[in-house]
Amino acid sequence: MLLDTFSELERNRYEKLLEMRAQGVEPYPTRSHKDTEAAEAIARFEQTENAPESTPVQVTLGGRIRAIRNMGKLSFAHIEDKSGKVQLFFRVDELGQEKLDFFANHFDLGDFIEASGTMFRTKRGEVTLQVSDFWMVAKALLPLPADKDEIVDGKVVRHSQLSDPETRFRNRYVDLAVNPEVRKIFKLRAAIIKSIRNFLDNRGFLEVETPILQPIYGGAAARPFLTYHNQLRQQLYLRISFELYLKRLIVGGFDRVYEIGRDFRNEGVSFKHNPEFTQMELYMAYGDYHAIMELTEQMVSQVAQEVLGTQIIQFDEHEINLTPPWNRIQIRQGLMDLAGIDIAAYPTAEALGEVLKEKKINFKPGIPRGKMIGLLMEEYLEPTCIQPTFLYDYPRDISPLAKNKPEDPNTVERFEAFISGVELGNAFTELNDPLEQEKRFSEMGREYGEGEEERHPMDEDYLRAMAYGMPPMGGFGMGVDRLVMFLTNNHNIREVILFPHLRETFDEIEEDSTKQE
RNA sequence: GGGCGCGUAGCUCAAUGGUAGAGCAGCGGCCUUUUAAGCCGUUGGUUCAGGGUUCGAGCCCCUGCGCGCUCACCA
């Protein structure tokens, strides 16, 4: 029972609720009567304020009470709705002592109130609603964490705001309710995604939805989540990428498709990894990875321009310029320049392994050559990619879905985009030769061994689709959460996901007897 | 999974091994233009959990849980 968990402080609010009911006032009425947003009321007043024949701005406002200042014969309150805050002014002359006392005795911080009256400007200069009538629309039984804003030199200074990350993420509704800057992140997030859609829609891409529950996972190197369909008695995986389904659609004739949705990867959780995350993938027939590079830099810079009004963003201590063209560094050349290693001179894993040992880079014995190159990139290339950079031409053995470079069978046409040393997206000229694809799947099986879940499983139906003829194309996958992190200057992915995954608490584990292995 | 750090009132934080505190929030007063309102008074604690050392533990030790940072795994 909720009531059983209440502290004395919370009981107190419940008592007020009971008192209201006893007086015939419903604390959760069915209808509301708000007709104007806070910001709109203020704007309308300011427009008419100095007009010679201004008519009074008469409105009914509604929102959550964020501050109350009772002063005996008058009261001030601030309420907040999605447009912002506005002050309410209650005077005994206007309302009578009884009504004023009713406000003082029954309304708390966090309650939802509606009030009608006329807008005016106080002596201190704040546009305010002079309340002629008010009523409760939802009583809050639990108190929100106390905080107050002070305006110093035009800047809002928060006092004692809710800041403990665990409390904030476990009770995101409270975090959002009291921290407007957190709400702002998610408004920006929505705008970013909308802007991506606009960009792609305008270029003839069709937005599609493909299965999240998949009998065979694929399209990325990651461990999947496993689930089970009872009636079909079928094991299913939660998708780790959209790739193989989207490319089937290109076979189907759409030529340009994209999807924005959730991927699930059963891997470590960190400041840049959440078990489920939002991915954007697109496929463009008759394009290659060079075309995708251009599309990517245009998309990201344009999204920034639309959402932030600038292509120059601040991330960490760096000022990052998203304006095209971005840096392009070929991996072999980059490693020659920055590490003094020509990877082409070491064509086998054994030979390259010796180089890694020389450079004191630790690696698990037996990993493929491509992974070793990945380690070199992490050490020498990626940290230098502060400004937006495409690293391109990847080793073939870690890229089973990408097409060879025509002149170099060990290298594929693939790039990854980096900003501030962190990967933003991954793209390639897509392999469209079904027999070659079949060979690659088999190779992956050998490289990784049977037991390793991250090896790319053979997908027979995908090969069949390709065998019907798949036009040449470029494809691209981008972590939307990462992009939101860059554009909102957040360094932890949990800050840009509304309900990030947190470990269960002990109590929850004990109560949940159905939990799986 | 490893290492380091943190966990005290609803929130933000104090407290040499020696009576658990402050501000805000709450509650009771005073106050007719306040705005971090103010002034006076006051309530509120399983110090994350369990064990140990000690005359005595918020503090020291052990175990567990959670969070943060970091490394590893992983794009």
Side-chain angles (χ1 to χ4, degrees):
Chain A
M1 284 278 291
L2 186 60
L3 278 180
D4 297 338
T5 68
F6 277 11
S7 67
E8 193 183 331
L9 196 146
E10 292 150 6
R11 283 246 155 219
N12 202 295
R13 287 173 175 245
Y14 178 59
E15 298 294 331
K16 291 181 182 177
L17 181 149
L18 292 179
E19 268 177 46
M20 288 180 69
R21 283 238 168 89
Q23 293 177 31
V25 178
E26 173 52 46
Y28 301 100
T30 306
R31 308 277 171 240
S32 49
H33 303 279
K34 170 175 178 163
D35 58 25
T36 310
E37 294 286 319
E40 189 197 335
I42 291 169
R44 271 172 56 196
F45 176 80
E46 284 177 336
Q47 274 166 25
T48 60
E49 172 169 36
N50 295 319
E53 293 176 30
S54 60
T55 50
V57 177
Q58 196 116 32
V59 289
T60 300
L61 303 178
R64 167 173 257 144
I65 300 176
R66 294 304 309 280
I68 295 177
R69 294 177 289 277
N70 287 323
M71 300 185 55
K73 295 282 194 291
L74 61 132
S75 289
F76 290 90
H78 271 100
I79 64 169
E80 186 174 37
D81 63 22
K82 74 174 199 292
S83 74
K85 285 185 186 172
V86 63
Q87 184 168 251
L88 307 184
F89 178 42
F90 304 78
R91 345 174 22 181
V92 70
D93 305 351
E94 177 97 23
L95 294 161
Q97 192 64 50
E98 196 181 332
K99 197 95 206 236
L100 196 68
D101 288 346
F102 181 73
F103 176 75
N105 294 331
H106 295 88
F107 284 68
D108 290 303
L109 299 185
D111 294 349
F112 284 89
I113 187 176
E114 286 180 345
S116 49
T118 310
M119 302 303 293
F120 77 112
R121 193 180 283 277
T122 64
K123 280 181 189 166
R124 293 293 186 96
E126 180 164 348
V127 178
T128 298
L129 180 74
Q130 169 137 334
V131 176
S132 56
D133 195 13
F134 66 91
W135 53 94
M136 178 87 70
V137 288
K139 182 75 188 163
L141 294 177
L142 299 179
L144 290 169
D147 68 332
K148 285 186 176 175
D149 293 347
E150 181 183 17
I151 306 216
V152 180
D153 300 331
K155 282 187 180 171
V156 177
V157 179
R158 313 296 304 285
H159 295 273
S160 302
Q161 68 177 323
L162 174 69
S163 58
D164 175 54
E166 182 172 0
T167 312
R168 288 180 48 227
F169 297 145
R170 286 197 196 280
N171 309 283
R172 184 64 109 166
Y173 36 86
V174 175
D175 185 30
L176 290 163
V178 301
N179 290 328
E181 69 280 5
V182 175
R183 290 200 296 271
K184 192 179 165 199
I185 292 170
F186 292 100
K187 287 183 194 169
L188 275 172
R189 185 184 168 112
I192 289 164
I193 292 172
K194 191 174 189 175
S195 175
I196 293 172
R197 285 205 164 93
N198 277 341
F199 179 90
L200 294 173
D201 292 345
N202 289 337
R203 280 163 182 75
F205 285 85
L206 180 73
E207 180 170 11
V208 297
E209 292 168 280
T210 62
I212 291 173
L213 296 174
Q214 303 181 347
I216 301 176
Y217 63 93
R223 297 175 62 194
F225 286 95
L226 187 59
T227 188
Y228 186 76
H229 190 291
N230 290 335
Q231 202 263 321
L232 298 177
R233 296 185 187 173
Q234 183 184 9
Q235 273 198 357
L236 292 165
Y237 298 97
L238 274 65
R239 67 180 173 191
I240 59 171
S241 85
F242 322 154
E243 173 151 2
L244 300 184
Y245 282 94
L246 291 180
K247 279 149 80 172
R248 283 173 171 94
L249 294 177
I250 302 291
V251 170
F254 284 122
D255 283 0
R256 290 185 176 202
V257 295
Y258 75 99
E259 177 166 4
I260 295 174
R262 214 65 66 82
D263 269 343
F264 306 85
R265 298 187 182 175
N266 206 340
E267 287 168 355
V269 178
S270 79
F271 71 97
K272 53 179 178 176
H273 299 272
N274 196 60
E276 54 180 296
F277 63 98
T278 300
Q279 182 86 349
M280 190 284 299
E281 284 191 31
L282 64 86
Y283 292 87
M284 182 168 75
Y286 313 108
D288 60 14
Y289 73 151
H290 292 296
I292 300 290
M293 284 186 213
E294 284 168 30
L295 190 76
T296 302
E297 60 196 9
Q298 279 169 27
M299 178 171 72
V300 172
S301 57
Q302 188 169 315
V303 167
Q305 185 69 48
E306 266 185 44
V307 172
L308 304 174
T310 175
Q311 298 184 12
I312 296 172
I313 60 168
Q314 191 70 31
F315 191 77
D316 259 332
E317 70 275 24
H318 302 296
E319 191 172 83
I320 290 168
N321 190 342
L322 300 171
T323 311
W326 292 3
N327 296 331
R328 285 162 167 74
I329 299 177
Q330 195 193 34
I331 289 166
R332 182 184 165 197
Q333 189 64 49
L335 286 175
M336 276 195 267
D337 294 345
L338 291 168
I341 300 168
D342 181 4
I343 50 175
Y346 309 94
T348 64
E350 290 71 30
L352 196 58
E354 290 303 316
V355 175
L356 262 65
K357 279 180 198 162
E358 259 173 53
K359 296 283 183 185
K360 301 222 174 4
I361 296 172
N362 293 326
F363 61 93
K364 266 199 291 192
I367 60 170
R369 178 174 174 273
K371 280 203 167 186
M372 292 180 181
I373 295 172
L375 292 173
L376 288 171
M377 291 168 59
E378 274 176 37
E379 181 71 23
Y380 296 104
L381 292 184
E382 295 176 12
T384 71
C385 300
I386 302 301
Q387 295 301 318
T389 304
F390 298 115
L391 297 181
Y392 68 97
D393 287 356
Y394 274 67
R396 163 194 161 120
D397 56 4
I398 54 167
S399 314
L401 302 164
K403 206 174 210 172
N404 280 349
K405 283 184 79 70
E407 69 279 13
D408 180 0
N410 285 322
T411 307
V412 294
E413 292 199 346
R414 171 180 176 186
F415 75 76
E416 291 187 353
F418 286 84
I419 294 177
S420 192
V422 179
E423 185 206 337
L424 175 66
N426 180 19
F428 21 95
T429 305
E430 304 292 338
L431 180 55
N432 64 343
D433 173 345
L435 299 175
E436 169 72 9
Q437 183 67 73
E438 186 175 34
K439 217 169 85 187
R440 296 282 198 90
F441 280 152
S442 307
E443 277 175 18
M444 286 306 282
R446 278 202 298 279
E447 293 282 7
Y448 282 88
E450 285 300 312
E452 293 182 56
E453 274 179 304
E454 74 208 54
R455 85 196 170 92
H456 208 296
M458 179 79 76
D459 187 333
E460 307 281 356
D461 182 70
Y462 176 64
L463 290 175
R464 266 181 75 76
M466 198 182 282
Y468 278 103
M470 181 184 280
M473 67 174 126
F476 178 58
M478 178 181 74
V480 173
D481 311 286
R482 297 261 176 97
L483 181 64
V484 176
M485 287 166 69
F486 289 127
L487 295 183
T488 61
N489 196 15
N490 275 294
H491 305 271
N492 192 321
I493 198 168
R494 288 173 166 170
E495 293 290 350
V496 304
I497 292 175
L498 279 168
F499 298 99
H501 182 77
L502 295 186
R503 206 179 289 270
E504 285 181 302
T505 61
F506 188 67
D507 290 349
E508 286 166 340
I509 291 170
E510 280 209 317
E511 283 166 18
D512 184 3
S513 57
T514 66
K515 101 186 156 73
Q516 299 178 357
E517 280 293 303

